[in-house]
Amino acid sequence: MNRLAVELPGLQLKNPIMPASGCFGFGREYGNLYDLSMLGAIMIKATTLDKRFGNPTPRVAETASGMLNAIGLQNPGLQGVMENELPWLEQYDVPIIANVAGTETADYVEVAKTISTAPNVRALELNISCPNVKCGGITFGTDPQQAHDLTAAVKEVSEVPVYVKLSPNVTDIKEIAKAVEAGGADGITMINTLVGMRLDQKTGRPIIANLTGGLSGPAVKPVAIKMVYEVSQVVQIPIIGMGGIAETADVIDFLSAGASAVAVGTANFVDPFICPKIIEELPAKLDELGVEHISELVGRSHRL
Amino acid sequence: MIIQDRMNVTGQREIAKNIFEMKLTGKLVGEINSPGQFVHIRVSDSFEPLLRRPISIASIDYEAGEMTIIYRAEGRGTQLLSLKKEGDEVDVLGPLGNGFPVDETSPGETAVLIGGGIGVPPLYELSMQLTAKGVNCIHVLGFQTADVSFYEEEFMRLGETYIATVDGTKGMSGFVTNVMETIGDGFATYYSCGPMPMLNAVQTAYSGKKGFLSFEQRMGCGIGACFACVCETTDKTDKEYIKVCSDGPVFPAGVVSI
């Protein structure tokens, strides 16, 4: 028995560990370092209809136990991803979750319709929560009705299950979660980054050229855990949790809070081998906790 | 190949004000293939500070499995690095990026190496490799002030060396471009590393000459995955942007839009 195997809509995962979108490119760089087939899945970088250059630099700034980024969804566009990135990833035995982004509903629908036909794309991650683009993205993720309608529109055209990535930058994330579930979402991924700012000590001006950026890293983990804990109690669909996961103990916390699988983001920058290291450490952690299968940990915080 | 290595600190000394020279041994040294490549160092085993620090490689001793890095202890991360002592271990990722092309200058030809501040260190290994193959190297090194200047004697042993300081406390008063005016253009190739305004000035002064520039840009991952360190290219027909960490940090003059 594979003690780490997890089954989610569209996804047969060898283990619940996957790199988070935006922190792993399209896998090529990490593919030079280790065999990507060992991962549970790969959430590839956001794909938009047309290619995007992204925001001006500086695009990152370090913060206490975290970092701010405002990359701005730089990507080669739908055609580039379909022709160059997804075929390259086919050499690995790993399901791909394609992150779909756009500025208006028609963009999302067009990207979802096409990218969901790629043979290795087993699920979509609808990006309605990117804080670093001026139009679209987060505007869909902060209004329950818009989130619902966009989810429904994408569900209608997608060939694979649709997960919706939620923003923490809202008054009540539960409302958005319920809205996307009602819109037909097969799962939720959460949380995206928190909007933040860092100033230059010498000039007093924001360091990031975009002025604000998305905060990620261990600093945001308590916020993410609280939100996964809350959302998992109001929806029936599974959650892939993320937000500050940097070591094996963090994975246990997210599963305990109610996530069925997790994504590792910023920690890949700190240690590019972090995903395989966590996968390797998990069985011993299960022994330590007296658990036979990893799924036994899911939502145990609610049972206390 | 890029590897993650727990390297041993075999030496650490302050060679100028807040400028440190650290020697590290480990198998990573055997993977370095060109001067101008860099390493990404985790300065703490905790998550504070979080990100790695990109540091250029100043010299390589393949036989001893040892490399020397030179860095300025300026922010929290590099200050923590400066506290490491002989016998400590450091988590190093590397070698990263593409360095200076030594083969672009033939034996008997002259190369001018122009460095500014903490952009000087990678030129040292470059000069050693160029001079070893018979290239005549002229060094132009710029610093803010005499207090933060370093490696003058080391460079002098390899070839003609000029120093410029902004405040005039050492060498010629002014910038590297002031020194360059006295050198003329009787050389085959130039190589430069330093802040963007300096690279721009060097490229402008030597337009038409074959040159290679090493860029600095704020980085996240250091391996090309995060897209933090992108720069626009001048000729967008081939590639609209480059990543300093993985496509560079060294590019032929004229490729990067400054």
Side-chain angles (χ1 to χ4, degrees), chain A residues 120-238:
Chain A
N120 49 348
V121 169
R122 302 291 158 74
L124 302 186
E125 182 181 48
L126 200 53
N127 188 348
I128 59 169
S129 49
C130 178
N132 298 324
V133 290
K134 287 190 170 58
C135 304
I138 200 163
T139 57
F140 286 101
T142 53
D143 180 295
Q145 189 62 49
Q146 283 197 56
H148 169 278
D149 294 350
L150 183 66
T151 304
V154 169
K155 264 299 282 183
E156 204 165 301
V157 298
S158 178
E159 302 282 332
V160 294
V162 176
Y163 292 69
V164 183
K165 189 168 189 174
L166 302 189
S167 169
N169 303 302
V170 292
T171 307
D172 185 358
I173 196 168
K174 298 192 294 299
E175 291 307 309
I176 310 288
K178 286 190 279 190
V180 301
E181 183 180 41
D186 297 282
I188 284 170
T189 67
M190 60 185 291
I191 57 173
N192 207 320
T193 54
L194 290 133
V195 180
M197 180 183 274
R198 186 182 154 195
L199 306 179
D200 184 303
Q201 280 280 301
K202 287 179 189 158
T203 64
R205 289 196 290 267
I207 288 176
I208 289 190
N210 192 50
L211 305 183
T212 61
L215 179 65
S216 62
V220 311
K221 186 188 147 193
V223 178
I225 290 286
K226 179 247 186 192
M227 290 183 164
V228 169
Y229 178 86
E230 288 183 344
V231 168
S232 63
Q233 292 177 86
V234 298
V235 298
Q236 300 303 310
I237 51 179

Side-chain angles (χ1 to χ4, degrees), chain A residues 51 59-60 62 65 270, chain B residues 48 51-53 227 240:
Chain A
K51 63 183 175 185
R59 294 174 167 187
V60 294
E62 193 176 45
S65 297
V270 181
Chain B
E48 179 56 29
L51 299 176
R52 289 171 179 270
R53 267 53 183 173
F227 289 75
E240 289 183 27

Side-chain angles (χ1 to χ4, degrees), chain B residues 2 7-8 11-13 23 39 48 54 74 77 83 88-89 94 107 120 123 128 166 174 188 203 222 232 248:
Chain B
I2 297 169
M7 300 187 80
N8 293 305
Q12 166 97 283
R13 66 185 180 112
K23 291 184 183 295
V39 289
E48 179 56 29
E74 193 174 28
L83 299 177
D88 287 349
E89 272 190 352
V120 167
L123 299 181
M128 285 198 289
V166 176
Q203 185 174 255
E232 287 186 64

Side-chain angles (χ1 to χ4, degrees), chain B residues 145-200:
Chain B
T145 178
D147 288 352
V148 294
S149 71
F150 57 90
Y151 265 38
E152 184 180 358
E153 284 179 16
E154 283 84 347
F155 276 100
M156 281 172 69
R157 281 198 284 272
L158 296 169
E160 212 174 322
T161 300
Y162 299 88
I163 304 285
T165 51
V166 176
D167 66 357
T169 48
K170 191 177 215 179
M172 189 176 278
S173 179
F175 297 98
V176 291
T177 40
N178 299 117
V179 177
M180 285 156 50
E181 285 167 13
T182 67
I183 292 174
D185 61 359
F187 59 89
T189 322
Y190 71 91
Y191 300 90
S192 189
C193 182
M196 200 77 100
M198 190 200 88
L199 296 181
N200 191 25

Side-chain angles (χ1 to χ4, degrees), chain A residues 65-84:
Chain A
S65 297
M67 69 173 269
L68 291 166
N69 91 81
I71 305 298
L73 300 183
Q74 182 159 16
N75 78 95
L78 178 60
Q79 195 184 345
V81 173
M82 290 297 286
E83 288 176 4
N84 303 316

